[in-house]
Amino acid sequence: MARAAQTDYEIVAREDFSDATYLLEVRHPLMARAARPGQFVIVMAQPHGERIPLTLADFDRRKGTVTLVVQAVGKTTREMQQSCHVGSALHALAGPMGVPSHVNGAAKVLCVGGGLGVAPMFPQARAHKEAGATVIGVVGFRSRELVFWEDKFRGVCDELILCTNDGSAGLRGLVTDGVRLALEKHPDLAEAVVIGPPVMMKACAEATRPRGIKTVVSVNPIMVDGTGMCGGCRVKVGGRVRFACVDGPDFDGHQVDFDDLMARLARFVPEERRALERWSESCRAKEPAPLEETLELPDPFEEVHGG
Amino acid sequence: MASAAKKKTVRTIPQLRAAMPEQDAGQRSRNFAEVACGYRLEDALHEAERCLFCPDPACVAGCPVSIDIPGFIRRISAKDFRGAYDVITATNLLPAICGRVCPQESQCEGVCPVGETLEPVAIGRLERWVGDKAIAEGWSSAPHIEPNGFKVGIVGSGPAGMACAADMAKAGCEVTVYEAFQEPGGVLKYGIPDFRLPNAVIDAEIENLRRLGVNFECNTLVGRLFTLEQMRDEMGYDAVFVGTGAGYPSMMGIPGESLNGVLSANELLTRCNLMRAREFPQYDTPVPVGRRVAVIGSGNTAMDALRVCLRLGAEKVHCIYRRSRAESPARAEELHHAEEEGVEFHWLTNPVEILGDAEGGRAGNVKGMRCVRMALGEPDESGRRRPLPVAGSEFEFPADVVVFAIGTNANPIIGQTSKIRLDKRGYIETDAELATSMAGVFAGGDIVTGAATVIEAMGAGRKAARGIKRYLGLDPESASPERLFGIPVSEKNFARIRAL
């Protein structure tokens, strides 16, 4: 095993799925070897940057790379959209963090991804498939142009329900509509795994609750260190305070207090807006033509955004 | 020199302790520059004259790492400053840090005989002066090191890890220190603010370790990127030291703790110190800046949080503590500085609920706390009088930021990812030599003892280093026929012996 002498986190591939969503593949052989589905990383794009948690969207042990899918929603992720090119490097990349998802070989598993959660659902769906499960996938996008990785999902799902808000591809409706359809068609679902915006995970957990289907959600609170040290990511699960970074990020969706999670995600909204405004102004100062930039932050509670 | 020293008595030495030049309290409470500016040469020479050079020095026994204190002070008196530095660094590689953050009043200075009649010799300030002089002059203590071929891995780059790394490197081992954050230093970087311990000082001390050959690897979360078992069995480490710190901050478990504006001191300090949120938006990390801040707790971390909030621009900063000033665990100087800077102390007060501006829903921001007055009862297991709530004394206390600085629990990552034995509370179990249940793996600092001080962690790092040396057979005194290449023969770990 090579020593962990890695100081340069080189971006070896990039793909843009839409105006807002982009994929970065970063060289980190040790991390690619250690990563398990459900884990996340902390990224710092530049020395003055913030530490942001991103759930791993994929990892390739043979190539020695990990894959991140990022949505440009705030200052940091928009700046990364401009600055992260093939050949450039991230300032810091730490992980994998968090307890890996428990893939227990259930017979039939529902894998649900919406918004930011579509990409990180992929390694989970693949792991369940490899463990011998029948995998029913549900992924949601706003419209046909924003759809990505449909082929990858079809490759690991026995059945894939693709949803778009406008009906331009697949089922017209929200991810939760796809989940309801899957629940009707498959009375024998043993487990559901849901990744996406909190409001979506909440709705999916409510949909599975009457049937008593074990439902695992991956929560995404604000973090600093990602190692259990700051407690910024604390969530209420079954009335107990847990830290998403070291006790999660997977928790029982029927036990998570999603309202609490959503309220805590809004902790720094004024600061985020201020950072974004300042950054957008500096971009305008550099660009001769003014950017058509909307300064409104996307609503973090919207069911499917951007993706 | 020695004859002059013989005649010294408490009556003949300078009676007054050299004062520490400090930034004015009104000015400094709004900036992050260092509060205590450090002795000038004349201060150091004056203070060195106050040492009695006791033949059986109590201060050395009072120092967790047993620095030859009269030895280095004698060299300051003789203006052999480099010599003073060499004496200190024979046992403590980090004088500029320890001189600043050690609780000297309960260690070396607390047992100084001068202190029985006068103020004790300002040992910490002298140590700091020597450490700062070394940084300014570019001195480093890089002795000739004979490589011995052993590889030692250190998990965590805080004070325990740094101290262990220094000793193992000096013993000739190839040492790599792993740090999860993007830069080394651990709690010295993320926890202790610049006005108490400037980052430049930490970086200089880390540079000294690098000159000893210590290799630092950041962004590396041991346990998750690779495990302790992998370090030992696959990565070729002959011994591993775990000094990950306690981490996991405690909350009280009272209603309202998830309101926005409630955070742990660790989060506040990490955002402000390591991530430089105080320079937001030049730096991207934000920090909640309260107008009226309440910090719960009265230890050193609480003092740091209080004083950071003042400097971030809070109008009023309040310390809420359930016991009285006499029981406050903070270092005397920190408490004194906080009082000078205008922190308001509410002794014998405890919060019972944090109040929000809305019931449920999204707009859950802190608007205050409900507190209760406390009275001191009989002494508890810590020897301090137990605080008990006074019936009917509840009152509301307005605040828009509430910071918990009431201690930490064990960080779970190493326990989650290895078979190492933990105690009931999740701390790593060790024997007297700080060896853990895993052969070749040692541990020390907060992850073994629970939250303690920087110097205690350094002491643990050095103690573990002695244990590792014995384990590797580097300590000639401990060589015994029961051990082969430092491994107990009874262990029959032939794979490891072959690997050697």
Side-chain angles (χ1 to χ4, degrees):
Chain A
M1 183 168 174
R3 228 183 55 204
Q6 178 146 4
T7 52
D8 181 10
Y9 310 101
E10 188 195 353
I11 296 164
V12 296
R14 168 172 170 152
E15 189 180 341
D16 285 73
F17 295 135
S18 71
D19 289 348
T21 307
Y22 53 99
L23 172 151
L24 302 175
E25 193 177 341
V26 188
R27 190 187 314 285
H28 198 317
L30 262 186
M31 192 184 290
R33 183 185 133 139
R36 298 287 180 275
Q39 291 189 299
F40 66 94
V41 297
I42 295 260
V43 170
M44 260 180 101
Q46 41 100 353
H48 285 208
E50 59 184 334
R51 294 169 64 90
I52 57 165
L54 294 168
T55 310
L56 283 167
D58 207 353
F59 37 86
D60 188 326
R61 286 173 196 152
R62 199 178 38 79
K63 281 161 73 185
T65 60
V66 296
T67 299
L68 309 171
V69 173
V70 189
Q71 273 192 344
V73 289
K75 186 257 176 182
T76 296
T77 46
R78 287 190 199 205
E79 189 179 52
M80 283 171 67
Q81 192 181 26
Q82 290 195 355
S83 65
C84 291
H85 297 291
V86 173
S88 72
L90 300 171
H91 176 64
L93 175 64
M97 290 167 168
V99 180
S101 296
H102 188 58
V103 178
N104 57 2
K108 198 180 235 188
V109 180
L110 179 66
C111 290
V112 186
L116 278 168
V118 172
M121 179 49 71
F122 173 72
Q124 301 240 26
R126 180 176 57 193
H128 281 288
K129 184 72 200 165
E130 284 169 358
T134 300
V135 177
I136 313 299
V138 178
V139 290
F141 300 89
R142 235 185 225 151
S143 63
R144 173 194 286 277
E145 309 81 69
L146 304 177
V147 174
F148 64 88
W149 281 9
E150 187 181 344
D151 288 352
K152 278 182 85 156
F153 274 98
R154 290 205 187 278
V156 297
C157 294
D158 295 276
E159 182 186 337
L160 182 69
I161 301 173
L162 175 69
C163 316
T164 51
N165 295 20
D166 61 0
S168 54
L171 178 78
R172 180 194 181 99
L174 302 174
V175 170
T176 37
D177 297 314
V179 167
R180 275 184 213 105
L181 178 67
L183 288 171
E184 279 163 32
K185 282 174 72 177
H186 301 280
D188 53 343
L189 281 170
E191 188 180 331
V193 186
V194 185
I195 312 181
V199 75
M200 183 204 103
M201 293 194 288
K202 182 184 181 182
C204 291
E206 287 315 312
T208 59
R209 193 192 298 272
R211 291 255 300 268
I213 298 168
K214 180 190 169 195
T215 300
V216 177
V217 298
S218 174
V219 299
N220 56 340
I222 294 170
M223 289 186 189
V224 184
D225 58 297
T227 65
M229 205 268 306
C230 84
C233 65
R234 58 191 190 274
V235 287
K236 275 191 201 156
V237 183
R240 276 181 68 197
V241 173
R242 310 296 301 274
F243 289 3
C245 63
V246 291
D247 301 321
D250 284 2
F251 292 109
D252 178 350
H254 295 147
Q255 300 281 320
V256 170
D257 183 339
F258 287 102
D259 294 332
D260 188 75
L261 176 66
M262 285 186 261
R264 289 187 56 74
L265 278 171
R267 284 176 72 194
F268 292 108
V269 166
E271 288 86 357
E272 282 165 17
R273 186 161 290 131
R274 203 174 136 205
L276 188 54
E277 277 170 8
R278 183 173 174 276
W279 178 75
S280 302
E281 274 160 26
S282 76
C283 289
R284 282 198 197 94
K286 272 182 249 161
E287 302 268 331
L291 282 177
E292 294 287 322
E293 193 90 55
T294 56
L295 283 183
E296 279 304 296
L297 281 173
D299 182 356
F301 312 110
E302 193 189 339
E303 176 152 338
V304 174
H305 56 121
Chain B
M1 190 176 76
S3 60
K6 234 184 277 170
K7 290 184 193 122
K8 274 195 190 181
T9 68
V10 174
R11 264 177 292 168
T12 61
I13 60 169
Q15 301 291 292
L16 288 178
R17 185 182 238 224
M20 175 60 99
E22 280 178 0
Q23 265 200 87
D24 170 70
Q27 183 195 346
R28 75 183 188 227
S29 65
R30 300 290 157 183
N31 70 48
F32 278 89
E34 198 169 12
V35 167
C37 308
Y39 273 174
R40 297 155 299 183
L41 173 63
E42 59 267 35
D43 300 323
L45 292 173
H46 168 97
E47 195 58 33
E49 280 308 305
R50 299 181 71 238
C51 179
L52 298 175
F53 304 126
C54 308
D56 186 12
C59 52
V60 178
C63 172
V65 297
S66 307
I67 296 173
D68 177 5
I69 292 164
F72 92 78
I73 295 181
R74 194 186 291 278
R75 281 169 181 76
I76 295 177
S77 280
K79 299 193 179 166
D80 172 14
F81 306 130
R82 173 72 212 226
Y85 176 70
D86 291 337
V87 169
I88 297 176
T89 51
T91 45
N92 176 15
L93 207 72
L94 312 161
I97 294 174
C98 294
R100 284 173 168 85
V101 302
C102 273
Q104 288 95 4
E105 70 268 19
S106 57
Q107 297 174 350
C108 52
E109 295 177 20
V111 293
C112 171
V114 174
E116 289 166 20
T117 34
L118 307 169
E119 275 205 272
V121 178
I123 298 165
R125 294 169 179 183
L126 288 172
E127 182 188 22
R128 170 188 162 171
W129 182 79
V130 173
D132 285 355
K133 180 136 187 88
I135 293 171
E137 302 282 341
W139 297 336
S140 69
S141 63
H144 174 71
I145 293 173
E146 194 67 49
N148 60 25
F150 286 113
K151 270 179 74 176
V152 176
I154 311 257
V155 185
S157 69
M162 284 167 78
C164 188
D167 281 3
M168 294 322 297
K170 282 195 207 161
C173 299
E174 183 187 327
V175 180
T176 300
V177 181
Y178 293 105
E179 165 59 44
F181 270 128
Q182 68 272 14
E183 40 187 287
V187 71
L188 305 173
K189 270 272 173 66
Y190 74 73
I192 301 178
D194 280 47
F195 55 81
R196 211 145 76 70
L197 177 61
N199 274 351
V201 172
I202 307 163
D203 289 337
E205 303 277 35
I206 285 168
E207 194 47 44
N208 268 340
L209 292 179
R210 286 206 170 99
R211 279 189 235 166
L212 284 180
V214 175
N215 176 33
F216 286 89
E217 305 257 357
C218 295
N219 301 307
T220 305
L221 180 61
V222 174
R224 292 291 174 202
L225 189 60
F226 45 79
T227 62
L228 293 181
E229 283 86 347
Q230 283 177 301
M231 288 178 76
R232 209 182 48 174
D233 302 337
E234 297 173 28
M235 295 166 77
Y237 284 107
D238 300 293
V240 174
F241 172 73
V242 181
T244 50
Y248 213 95
S250 304
M251 306 299 263
M252 289 178 72
I254 57 176
E257 284 178 358
S258 59
L259 288 163
N260 292 337
V262 180
L263 68 167
S264 73
N266 270 3
E267 180 176 359
L268 173 87
L269 293 169
T270 304
R271 286 179 178 277
C272 191
N273 300 335
L274 178 78
M275 303 309 296
R276 306 217 148 243
R278 61 177 194 253
E279 292 170 62
F280 179 86
Q282 280 75 33
Y283 282 75
D284 289 339
T285 303
V287 65
V289 179
R291 291 177 58 196
R292 206 180 138 87
V293 178
V295 175
I296 321 296
S298 180
N300 288 319
T301 307
M303 296 306 122
D304 286 344
L306 289 158
R307 297 169 71 197
V308 157
C309 289
L310 273 178
R311 285 160 174 78
L312 286 172
E315 286 165 21
K316 268 280 165 223
V317 176
H318 302 271
C319 176
I320 312 285
Y321 185 50
R322 63 198 178 122
R323 303 179 197 253
S324 71
R325 192 183 193 280
E327 289 85 25
S328 164
R331 199 169 164 251
E333 185 183 330
E334 309 312 326
L335 204 52
H336 172 67
H337 278 151
E339 286 169 336
E340 273 185 350
E341 289 170 13
V343 170
E344 269 186 39
F345 287 84
H346 304 262
W347 307 112
L348 295 169
T349 305
N350 209 27
V352 291
E353 182 183 358
I354 301 170
L355 307 168
D357 59 2
E359 293 305 311
R362 291 181 190 173
N365 296 308
V366 174
K367 68 165 191 187
M369 301 185 298
R370 214 149 46 77
C371 294
V372 65
R373 304 265 183 229
M374 308 293 277
L376 293 178
E378 294 299 306
D380 62 12
E381 59 277 9
S382 75
R384 298 176 298 177
R385 292 175 65 194
R386 184 191 301 276
L388 299 163
V390 176
S393 66
E394 289 192 7
F395 63 102
E396 280 197 17
F397 188 96
D400 54 4
V401 166
V402 172
V403 180
F404 280 98
I406 56 168
T408 53
N409 295 309
N411 186 294
I413 294 175
I414 290 293
Q416 286 170 340
T417 57
S418 74
K419 294 195 172 70
I420 205 163
R421 191 151 60 227
L422 308 177
D423 70 13
K424 284 198 295 284
R425 297 176 307 152
Y427 295 102
I428 297 176
E429 264 187 16
T430 64
D431 67 11
E433 293 196 330
L434 298 183
T436 69
S437 62
M438 284 172 68
V441 179
F442 292 71
D446 286 5
I447 193 60
V448 172
T449 57
T453 62
V454 167
I455 190 69
E456 284 170 296
M458 286 185 175
R462 301 205 66 215
K463 188 174 171 190
R466 287 193 292 276
I468 294 171
K469 282 184 216 169
R470 270 192 290 276
Y471 170 76
L472 295 175
L474 296 171
D475 179 356
E477 284 166 33
S478 75
S480 69
E482 293 94 70
R483 296 173 91 86
L484 186 58
F485 299 101
I487 297 168
V489 172
S490 60
E491 196 184 287
K492 295 193 176 60
N493 191 339
F494 296 116
R496 272 180 46 66
I497 292 171
R498 267 203 305 278
L500 290 167

